[in-house]
Amino acid sequence: IGRRFICSMATEPLPKQVDETNMDAPKEIFLKDYKEPDYFFEKVDLNFQLGEETTLVFSKIFVSPRVEGCLAPLVLDGVDLKLISLKVNGKEVKGDDFHVDSRHLTLSSLPSGKFTLEIVTEICPQKNTSLEGLYKSSGNFCTQCEAEGFRKIIFYQDRPDIMAKYTCRIEGDKSLYPVLLSNGNLIEEGELEESKQYAESLTQNLDPCTRSHAMYSLKAAMKWDEDVFGLEYDLDLFNVVAVPDFNMGAMENKSLNIFNSKLVLASPETATDADYAAILGVIGHEFFHNWTGNRVTCRDWFQLSLKEGLTVFRDQEFSSDMGSRPVKRIGDVSTLRSYQFPQDAGPMAHPVRPHSYIKMDNFYTVTVYEKGAEVVRMYKTLLGASGFRKGMDLYFKRHDGQAVTCEDFFAAMRDANGADFSNFMLWYSQAGTPRLNVVSNYNAVAKTYSLKFSQEVPPTPGQPIKEPMFIPVALGLLGSDGKDMPLSSVYHDGKLESISNNGQPAQTTVLRVTKKEEEFVFNDIPERPVPSILRGYTAPVRLDSDLTDADLHFLLANDSDEFNRWEAGQVLARKLMLNLVSDYQQNKPLVLNQQFINGVKSILCDSSLDKEFIAKAITLPGEGEIMDMMEVADPDAVHAVRSFIRKQLAAELKNELHNTVKNNRTSEKYEFDHQNLLRRALKNTALGYLGSLEDAEMRELALHEYKTATNLTEQFAALVALDQIPGKVRDEVLADFYNKLQHEYLVINKWFALQAMSNVPGNVENVRKLLDHPAFDMRNPNKVYSLIGGFRGSLVNFHAKDGSGYKFLGELVVQLDKINPQVASRMVSAFSRWKRYDEMRQNLAKAQLEMILAANGLSENVFEIASKSLA
Ligand code: PHE
Ligand code: ZN
């Protein structure tokens, strides 16, 4: 049993980060304070000696001062490290010339030119529950360096503009650690002298079937990046690693992408269609980072969206090309509305490029990722596919191998196209979701149609007053025949602009709305059109217009833009839900309007439509979306109303929904292919409606689907359908599911989440019990996200009037913070919108935030979210 070693060379540096904080007071770091480092690191040689108790890390750093003769001290970041030895130019450094505190190693009296720094540190990966730095997960060592993790491995200038080249050598007992992987290309591997230790191998062999979808996704992503962006992979090897304990989704380490196992492993029995789709997207995402993130990286962490917004955009486009573009867009916009809009309207609102942070970990947000992707999408909308491609080409030509800023990306897009982008950069600096209002007017005599836009960006923390944004608005005008009218010219800003697609009148045009108030007048419009505004959702704004319900029904039936067809239905549903919420609050009986039922019915029965589109179109806007639109969010009313509408639709359309289930059953074996996926999506949505009925026949149906399912997608959907009504059937089927699938931990997480999200009153007690379930483990983020994260999604129980839900979460945040601050911080954010609720709930939530802030030894992560929430 020898000790094995490998040596490899990363051609790109690992992602890193700067921190100037000192122990006691959490310190805010500002973008405006960015300074180039005084010392550059040219090369770093690392050697890891892995051990069961401790691990030794030898680092040799080749330092060169930015300015010759620099006298500044060299400050290295380092957290939870034991310094074993320290040499400059091969000589042990004297006590007077260095200083170590809990966060830094500071060196003074340094040589005036280039020098080498050799540092040995000792770390305890086995005790590291934060899952950043080097830690052990299910018997495997794993590193996580982004954003501030590298400082938990060695003393280093842990910031992304240190562009060193690395070599990395790993040594370990072969029997314990049979597989050693590092970044970059392999230089050498081999065996060392015999080791005295012996232990059984802990590596599990994966069933090849569970990784075939990830492999398929990777190949597809590689091909797509070559085809669409002309970007090829640049190394001789590429590894995808699955780890069960991971804070985030995945990580783009050069040639060694690391994934949360739920985003790699999939078989028909253990993963749903949604999981398969997520794997495709995330495998793509991490692979695409090789160019957008690794070869071109961020100068500092404020620029995070430079790589994340762009890479999310790239993965969205990839998934669209692999499946259905409109359906993908609908899903992404729903996510934006349900999660990013509320963030942008609350105390944690921040621009796509934040101005400051206490813990960078807290800024891996839906704003930086999803809104950031929308910003990139706007460039493409404005420049067209070929203009966007030119911009990307120039970006790589200029910046390959560099650490750059959002301005550099903007400049590449602008310069490659000679484009005028006016105030577009405001998208990076102004937080808050712009409100865009449109008033229309048809002049039958002049045959002109006018659209008056006005915009308002709401105040956000630190930004009371905003400037108007540059909003691209894709637009079409429908005639009474339901067809797009040809658009030839528009009068705007005192000029007549022609609109054409290669000489042909356009059917969709992109208006550039840049002022607080602005009018566009279309000529040669023969009749009053119905406008289809913001086709494909070309800007992340809240749109209000003077469209009537009749206009919306017309768009729902006719719009050539599928996104806006869906959107028209959503606008109608949101209006309807808000009206019913107000009826509920005034104790009026709830009545569902017949026109709405008919609308849903006609979509459900329209065989010309894509089945997945139907599934999306008959799904009501989420509870969070409705709460977000209310003056004072009322969880009880919103939940009651949404459940009422679902039940009412199910009752009225029982036959149609039943037929939909019967006609869309899967007969052959499971395939993650488009046709089967569509069918399952529609069937499962229909079954979900039917499960809301207290109807013996429909419960039989759901039970039948549960028992006969050949794949998790349909089996779990049947379980979800049955979960809606408390009672014996529900209890039995939940128990049966656990018994059958208890060995599949990823599936059991879904089982935890389903129960945690339940709106059965008093469910908090059940969730408390599940904390003691043998399959639950607080140290595993996935389990926490399922059970505790899931609970936050229960309107009835998280927001229970007796405060039991808030108390439960508050206590858990304090416990979790001791184990894993990043995960605790994600959980505490559920409190951040406490001011949105009634006074009683406000007081209850506030009390929990105060309790958390008073906890001993609170992490900076949780401190930042909790204190900003209270501010
Ligand atoms: N960079 C990762 C991604 O988006 C996210 C991540 C951040 C993972 C921090 C781990 C830690 O692909
Ligand atoms: Zn990413």
Side-chain angles (χ1 to χ4, degrees), residues 34-80:
Y34 174 82
K35 279 207 288 296
E36 268 192 282
D38 289 323
Y39 296 91
F40 291 124
F41 293 171
E42 290 174 353
K43 187 164 176 281
V44 182
D45 295 326
L46 295 173
N47 184 353
F48 287 81
Q49 296 188 351
L50 303 177
E52 283 298 273
E53 297 289 325
T54 56
T55 287
L56 283 177
V57 191
F58 298 79
S59 63
K60 181 169 186 178
I61 307 175
F62 296 81
V63 186
S64 90
R66 182 162 51 83
V67 181
E68 191 73 20
C70 172
L71 293 174
L74 171 55
V75 183
L76 304 179
D77 304 292
V79 173
D80 298 340

Short mmCIF file of all heavy atoms in Angstrom, two decimals, residues 34-80:
data_model
loop_
_atom_site.label_atom_id
_atom_site.label_comp_id
_atom_site.label_asym_id
_atom_site.label_seq_id
_atom_site.Cartn_x
_atom_site.Cartn_y
_atom_site.Cartn_z
N TYR A 34 -11.26 49.82 -4.21
CA TYR A 34 -10.39 48.85 -4.88
C TYR A 34 -9.02 49.45 -5.18
O TYR A 34 -8.90 50.55 -5.72
CB TYR A 34 -11.02 48.35 -6.19
CG TYR A 34 -10.05 47.45 -6.93
CD1 TYR A 34 -9.93 46.11 -6.59
CD2 TYR A 34 -9.21 47.97 -7.93
CE1 TYR A 34 -9.00 45.30 -7.22
CE2 TYR A 34 -8.29 47.15 -8.58
CZ TYR A 34 -8.19 45.82 -8.22
OH TYR A 34 -7.27 45.02 -8.84
N LYS A 35 -7.98 48.71 -4.81
CA LYS A 35 -6.61 49.11 -5.16
C LYS A 35 -5.87 47.92 -5.73
O LYS A 35 -6.07 46.79 -5.28
CB LYS A 35 -5.87 49.59 -3.90
CG LYS A 35 -6.20 51.03 -3.51
CD LYS A 35 -5.07 51.71 -2.73
CE LYS A 35 -4.85 51.24 -1.31
NZ LYS A 35 -5.92 51.45 -0.34
N GLU A 36 -5.01 48.17 -6.68
CA GLU A 36 -4.18 47.09 -7.18
C GLU A 36 -3.30 46.55 -6.06
O GLU A 36 -2.90 47.32 -5.19
CB GLU A 36 -3.25 47.64 -8.28
CG GLU A 36 -3.79 47.53 -9.67
CD GLU A 36 -2.68 47.82 -10.67
OE1 GLU A 36 -2.37 49.01 -10.85
OE2 GLU A 36 -2.13 46.85 -11.22
N PRO A 37 -3.00 45.27 -6.07
CA PRO A 37 -2.15 44.74 -5.00
C PRO A 37 -0.72 45.31 -5.11
O PRO A 37 -0.25 45.63 -6.20
CB PRO A 37 -2.15 43.24 -5.26
CG PRO A 37 -2.54 43.07 -6.69
CD PRO A 37 -3.40 44.25 -7.05
N ASP A 38 -0.02 45.43 -3.96
CA ASP A 38 1.37 45.89 -3.99
C ASP A 38 2.31 44.80 -4.48
O ASP A 38 3.39 45.08 -4.98
CB ASP A 38 1.79 46.32 -2.57
CG ASP A 38 1.11 47.61 -2.15
OD1 ASP A 38 0.93 48.48 -3.03
OD2 ASP A 38 0.72 47.72 -0.98
N TYR A 39 1.89 43.57 -4.29
CA TYR A 39 2.73 42.44 -4.71
C TYR A 39 1.95 41.52 -5.62
O TYR A 39 0.79 41.20 -5.33
CB TYR A 39 3.19 41.65 -3.48
CG TYR A 39 4.09 42.44 -2.56
CD1 TYR A 39 3.55 43.17 -1.51
CD2 TYR A 39 5.48 42.46 -2.75
CE1 TYR A 39 4.36 43.91 -0.67
CE2 TYR A 39 6.30 43.20 -1.92
CZ TYR A 39 5.74 43.93 -0.88
OH TYR A 39 6.55 44.66 -0.05
N PHE A 40 2.55 41.12 -6.70
CA PHE A 40 1.94 40.09 -7.55
C PHE A 40 2.56 38.74 -7.23
O PHE A 40 3.73 38.67 -6.83
CB PHE A 40 2.16 40.40 -9.03
CG PHE A 40 1.39 41.61 -9.50
CD1 PHE A 40 2.03 42.68 -10.10
CD2 PHE A 40 0.01 41.66 -9.34
CE1 PHE A 40 1.31 43.80 -10.53
CE2 PHE A 40 -0.72 42.77 -9.76
CZ PHE A 40 -0.06 43.84 -10.35
N PHE A 41 1.77 37.70 -7.41
CA PHE A 41 2.29 36.34 -7.28
C PHE A 41 2.36 35.76 -8.69
O PHE A 41 1.35 35.69 -9.39
CB PHE A 41 1.37 35.46 -6.42
CG PHE A 41 1.30 35.87 -4.97
CD1 PHE A 41 0.37 35.30 -4.11
CD2 PHE A 41 2.19 36.81 -4.44
CE1 PHE A 41 0.31 35.66 -2.78
CE2 PHE A 41 2.13 37.18 -3.10
CZ PHE A 41 1.18 36.60 -2.27
N GLU A 42 3.57 35.36 -9.09
CA GLU A 42 3.70 34.87 -10.46
C GLU A 42 3.40 33.38 -10.55
O GLU A 42 2.82 32.90 -11.50
CB GLU A 42 5.10 35.17 -10.99
CG GLU A 42 5.26 36.67 -11.21
CD GLU A 42 6.68 37.06 -11.60
OE1 GLU A 42 7.58 36.19 -11.57
OE2 GLU A 42 6.87 38.24 -11.92
N LYS A 43 3.88 32.68 -9.52
CA LYS A 43 3.75 31.23 -9.58
C LYS A 43 3.61 30.70 -8.17
O LYS A 43 4.17 31.27 -7.22
CB LYS A 43 5.01 30.65 -10.22
CG LYS A 43 4.96 29.18 -10.49
CD LYS A 43 6.08 28.77 -11.46
CE LYS A 43 6.12 27.28 -11.69
NZ LYS A 43 6.77 26.55 -10.61
N VAL A 44 2.85 29.64 -8.03
CA VAL A 44 2.67 29.01 -6.72
C VAL A 44 2.82 27.51 -6.89
O VAL A 44 2.17 26.91 -7.75
CB VAL A 44 1.26 29.30 -6.15
CG1 VAL A 44 1.11 28.67 -4.77
CG2 VAL A 44 0.98 30.79 -6.09
N ASP A 45 3.71 26.92 -6.09
CA ASP A 45 3.80 25.45 -6.08
C ASP A 45 3.18 24.95 -4.78
O ASP A 45 3.60 25.35 -3.70
CB ASP A 45 5.27 25.00 -6.16
CG ASP A 45 5.89 25.39 -7.50
OD1 ASP A 45 5.16 25.39 -8.52
OD2 ASP A 45 7.09 25.73 -7.53
N LEU A 46 2.21 24.08 -4.93
CA LEU A 46 1.52 23.56 -3.74
C LEU A 46 1.81 22.08 -3.58
O LEU A 46 1.93 21.35 -4.56
CB LEU A 46 0.00 23.71 -3.91
CG LEU A 46 -0.57 25.12 -3.97
CD1 LEU A 46 -2.05 25.06 -4.30
CD2 LEU A 46 -0.34 25.83 -2.65
N ASN A 47 1.92 21.67 -2.34
CA ASN A 47 2.04 20.24 -2.06
C ASN A 47 1.17 19.91 -0.85
O ASN A 47 1.33 20.47 0.23
CB ASN A 47 3.51 19.90 -1.76
CG ASN A 47 3.72 18.40 -1.56
OD1 ASN A 47 2.76 17.64 -1.50
ND2 ASN A 47 4.98 17.99 -1.44
N PHE A 48 0.21 19.04 -1.08
CA PHE A 48 -0.71 18.62 0.00
C PHE A 48 -0.28 17.25 0.50
O PHE A 48 -0.12 16.33 -0.29
CB PHE A 48 -2.14 18.51 -0.54
CG PHE A 48 -2.79 19.83 -0.81
CD1 PHE A 48 -2.53 20.52 -1.98
CD2 PHE A 48 -3.67 20.38 0.10
CE1 PHE A 48 -3.14 21.74 -2.24
CE2 PHE A 48 -4.29 21.60 -0.15
CZ PHE A 48 -4.03 22.29 -1.32
N GLN A 49 -0.12 17.12 1.82
CA GLN A 49 0.08 15.80 2.39
C GLN A 49 -1.13 15.48 3.22
O GLN A 49 -1.29 15.94 4.36
CB GLN A 49 1.38 15.77 3.19
CG GLN A 49 2.56 16.02 2.23
CD GLN A 49 3.91 15.82 2.87
OE1 GLN A 49 4.03 15.66 4.08
NE2 GLN A 49 4.95 15.85 2.05
N LEU A 50 -2.00 14.68 2.62
CA LEU A 50 -3.29 14.40 3.25
C LEU A 50 -3.14 13.41 4.40
O LEU A 50 -2.38 12.44 4.29
CB LEU A 50 -4.25 13.80 2.22
CG LEU A 50 -4.51 14.63 0.97
CD1 LEU A 50 -5.41 13.86 0.01
CD2 LEU A 50 -5.13 15.97 1.33
N GLY A 51 -3.84 13.67 5.47
CA GLY A 51 -3.78 12.75 6.61
C GLY A 51 -5.14 12.62 7.27
O GLY A 51 -6.01 13.46 7.09
N GLU A 52 -5.29 11.57 8.04
CA GLU A 52 -6.58 11.34 8.70
C GLU A 52 -6.80 12.30 9.87
O GLU A 52 -7.93 12.58 10.24
CB GLU A 52 -6.70 9.89 9.18
CG GLU A 52 -7.01 8.91 8.08
CD GLU A 52 -8.37 9.17 7.41
OE1 GLU A 52 -9.38 8.66 7.89
OE2 GLU A 52 -8.40 9.90 6.40
N GLU A 53 -5.72 12.77 10.48
CA GLU A 53 -5.87 13.72 11.59
C GLU A 53 -5.74 15.16 11.07
O GLU A 53 -6.61 15.98 11.28
CB GLU A 53 -4.80 13.48 12.66
CG GLU A 53 -4.88 12.11 13.32
CD GLU A 53 -6.09 12.00 14.24
OE1 GLU A 53 -6.44 13.02 14.87
OE2 GLU A 53 -6.68 10.91 14.31
N THR A 54 -4.59 15.39 10.46
CA THR A 54 -4.34 16.74 9.94
C THR A 54 -3.73 16.62 8.54
O THR A 54 -3.26 15.56 8.15
CB THR A 54 -3.31 17.50 10.82
OG1 THR A 54 -2.13 16.70 10.90
CG2 THR A 54 -3.86 17.78 12.20
N THR A 55 -3.77 17.73 7.85
CA THR A 55 -3.17 17.78 6.51
C THR A 55 -2.13 18.90 6.51
O THR A 55 -2.36 19.96 7.08
CB THR A 55 -4.26 18.03 5.45
OG1 THR A 55 -5.01 16.82 5.31
CG2 THR A 55 -3.68 18.43 4.11
N LEU A 56 -0.99 18.60 5.91
CA LEU A 56 0.05 19.63 5.79
C LEU A 56 0.01 20.20 4.38
O LEU A 56 -0.11 19.45 3.41
CB LEU A 56 1.43 19.02 6.03
CG LEU A 56 1.80 18.73 7.49
CD1 LEU A 56 3.17 18.07 7.54
CD2 LEU A 56 1.78 20.01 8.33
N VAL A 57 0.13 21.50 4.30
CA VAL A 57 0.17 22.13 2.98
C VAL A 57 1.46 22.94 2.86
O VAL A 57 1.71 23.84 3.66
CB VAL A 57 -1.05 23.05 2.73
CG1 VAL A 57 -1.09 23.47 1.27
CG2 VAL A 57 -2.34 22.39 3.14
N PHE A 58 2.26 22.57 1.88
CA PHE A 58 3.51 23.28 1.59
C PHE A 58 3.25 24.21 0.41
O PHE A 58 2.77 23.76 -0.63
CB PHE A 58 4.62 22.30 1.21
CG PHE A 58 4.95 21.33 2.32
CD1 PHE A 58 4.14 20.23 2.55
CD2 PHE A 58 6.06 21.53 3.12
CE1 PHE A 58 4.43 19.32 3.57
CE2 PHE A 58 6.36 20.64 4.15
CZ PHE A 58 5.55 19.53 4.38
N SER A 59 3.54 25.49 0.60
CA SER A 59 3.37 26.38 -0.54
C SER A 59 4.65 27.15 -0.79
O SER A 59 5.33 27.58 0.14
CB SER A 59 2.22 27.37 -0.28
OG SER A 59 2.51 28.19 0.83
N LYS A 60 4.99 27.27 -2.06
CA LYS A 60 6.14 28.09 -2.44
C LYS A 60 5.61 29.12 -3.44
O LYS A 60 5.09 28.77 -4.50
CB LYS A 60 7.21 27.22 -3.08
CG LYS A 60 8.46 28.01 -3.48
CD LYS A 60 9.59 27.07 -3.84
CE LYS A 60 10.86 27.87 -4.09
NZ LYS A 60 12.01 26.99 -4.40
N ILE A 61 5.71 30.39 -3.04
CA ILE A 61 5.11 31.46 -3.84
C ILE A 61 6.22 32.34 -4.41
O ILE A 61 7.13 32.76 -3.67
CB ILE A 61 4.17 32.33 -2.96
CG1 ILE A 61 3.14 31.43 -2.25
CG2 ILE A 61 3.46 33.38 -3.81
CD1 ILE A 61 2.22 32.17 -1.28
N PHE A 62 6.15 32.61 -5.70
CA PHE A 62 7.13 33.49 -6.36
C PHE A 62 6.51 34.88 -6.42
O PHE A 62 5.56 35.10 -7.17
CB PHE A 62 7.49 32.95 -7.74
CG PHE A 62 8.18 31.61 -7.66
CD1 PHE A 62 7.45 30.44 -7.51
CD2 PHE A 62 9.57 31.53 -7.72
CE1 PHE A 62 8.09 29.20 -7.41
CE2 PHE A 62 10.21 30.30 -7.62
CZ PHE A 62 9.47 29.13 -7.46
N VAL A 63 7.07 35.79 -5.59
CA VAL A 63 6.46 37.11 -5.42
C VAL A 63 7.22 38.15 -6.21
O VAL A 63 8.46 38.12 -6.26
CB VAL A 63 6.51 37.51 -3.92
CG1 VAL A 63 5.74 38.82 -3.68
CG2 VAL A 63 5.96 36.40 -3.03
N SER A 64 6.47 39.08 -6.82
CA SER A 64 7.18 40.20 -7.42
C SER A 64 6.44 41.49 -7.09
O SER A 64 5.22 41.57 -7.27
CB SER A 64 7.34 39.99 -8.94
OG SER A 64 6.27 40.53 -9.63
N PRO A 65 7.14 42.48 -6.53
CA PRO A 65 6.48 43.72 -6.16
C PRO A 65 5.98 44.43 -7.41
O PRO A 65 6.61 44.36 -8.46
CB PRO A 65 7.57 44.54 -5.46
CG PRO A 65 8.85 43.90 -5.83
CD PRO A 65 8.59 42.50 -6.25
N ARG A 66 4.82 45.08 -7.28
CA ARG A 66 4.28 45.79 -8.44
C ARG A 66 5.23 46.92 -8.83
O ARG A 66 5.49 47.15 -10.00
CB ARG A 66 2.89 46.35 -8.12
CG ARG A 66 2.22 47.07 -9.27
CD ARG A 66 0.72 47.19 -9.05
NE ARG A 66 0.39 47.76 -7.76
CZ ARG A 66 0.38 49.07 -7.49
NH1 ARG A 66 0.68 49.93 -8.43
NH2 ARG A 66 0.08 49.51 -6.29
N VAL A 67 5.75 47.60 -7.81
CA VAL A 67 6.71 48.66 -8.05
C VAL A 67 8.03 48.25 -7.38
O VAL A 67 8.03 47.89 -6.20
CB VAL A 67 6.22 50.00 -7.45
CG1 VAL A 67 7.21 51.11 -7.73
CG2 VAL A 67 4.84 50.33 -7.98
N GLU A 68 9.07 48.27 -8.16
CA GLU A 68 10.41 47.91 -7.63
C GLU A 68 10.72 48.74 -6.38
O GLU A 68 10.44 49.94 -6.35
CB GLU A 68 11.44 48.17 -8.73
CG GLU A 68 12.83 47.61 -8.47
CD GLU A 68 12.90 46.09 -8.61
OE1 GLU A 68 12.01 45.48 -9.27
OE2 GLU A 68 13.84 45.50 -8.04
N GLY A 69 11.24 48.09 -5.34
CA GLY A 69 11.62 48.82 -4.13
C GLY A 69 10.45 49.09 -3.19
O GLY A 69 10.55 49.92 -2.28
N CYS A 70 9.37 48.39 -3.40
CA CYS A 70 8.18 48.57 -2.57
C CYS A 70 8.50 48.29 -1.10
O CYS A 70 9.11 47.30 -0.76
CB CYS A 70 7.10 47.62 -3.08
SG CYS A 70 5.65 47.53 -2.08
N LEU A 71 8.04 49.19 -0.24
CA LEU A 71 8.32 49.02 1.19
C LEU A 71 7.10 48.53 1.96
O LEU A 71 7.18 48.27 3.16
CB LEU A 71 8.78 50.36 1.79
CG LEU A 71 10.13 50.86 1.29
CD1 LEU A 71 10.43 52.25 1.81
CD2 LEU A 71 11.25 49.89 1.68
N ALA A 72 5.99 48.46 1.28
CA ALA A 72 4.75 48.08 1.98
C ALA A 72 4.86 46.68 2.55
O ALA A 72 5.53 45.82 1.97
CB ALA A 72 3.59 48.15 0.99
N PRO A 73 4.21 46.45 3.68
CA PRO A 73 4.16 45.07 4.19
C PRO A 73 3.34 44.20 3.24
O PRO A 73 2.50 44.71 2.49
CB PRO A 73 3.47 45.22 5.54
CG PRO A 73 2.72 46.49 5.49
CD PRO A 73 3.44 47.38 4.53
N LEU A 74 3.58 42.91 3.26
CA LEU A 74 2.76 41.98 2.48
C LEU A 74 1.77 41.33 3.44
O LEU A 74 2.17 40.65 4.39
CB LEU A 74 3.66 40.93 1.82
CG LEU A 74 2.98 39.75 1.13
CD1 LEU A 74 1.97 40.21 0.07
CD2 LEU A 74 4.02 38.82 0.49
N VAL A 75 0.50 41.59 3.18
CA VAL A 75 -0.54 41.06 4.08
C VAL A 75 -1.21 39.86 3.42
O VAL A 75 -1.80 39.98 2.34
CB VAL A 75 -1.59 42.14 4.40
CG1 VAL A 75 -2.62 41.60 5.39
CG2 VAL A 75 -0.93 43.40 4.94
N LEU A 76 -1.08 38.72 4.06
CA LEU A 76 -1.71 37.51 3.52
C LEU A 76 -2.94 37.17 4.34
O LEU A 76 -2.95 37.33 5.56
CB LEU A 76 -0.73 36.34 3.58
CG LEU A 76 0.61 36.55 2.87
CD1 LEU A 76 1.49 35.30 3.03
CD2 LEU A 76 0.39 36.84 1.39
N ASP A 77 -3.97 36.71 3.65
CA ASP A 77 -5.16 36.24 4.36
C ASP A 77 -4.90 34.82 4.85
O ASP A 77 -4.24 34.03 4.16
CB ASP A 77 -6.36 36.21 3.41
CG ASP A 77 -6.61 37.57 2.78
OD1 ASP A 77 -7.00 38.48 3.52
OD2 ASP A 77 -6.39 37.71 1.56
N GLY A 78 -5.48 34.48 5.99
CA GLY A 78 -5.37 33.12 6.50
C GLY A 78 -6.33 32.93 7.65
O GLY A 78 -6.34 33.73 8.58
N VAL A 79 -7.19 31.92 7.55
CA VAL A 79 -8.20 31.69 8.59
C VAL A 79 -8.15 30.22 9.00
O VAL A 79 -8.08 29.34 8.13
CB VAL A 79 -9.61 32.05 8.06
CG1 VAL A 79 -10.69 31.67 9.06
CG2 VAL A 79 -9.71 33.54 7.73
N ASP A 80 -8.18 29.97 10.28
CA ASP A 80 -8.14 28.60 10.83
C ASP A 80 -6.90 27.82 10.34
O ASP A 80 -7.00 26.62 10.04
CB ASP A 80 -9.41 27.80 10.46
CG ASP A 80 -10.67 28.44 11.03
OD1 ASP A 80 -10.54 29.23 11.99
OD2 ASP A 80 -11.75 28.16 10.50
#
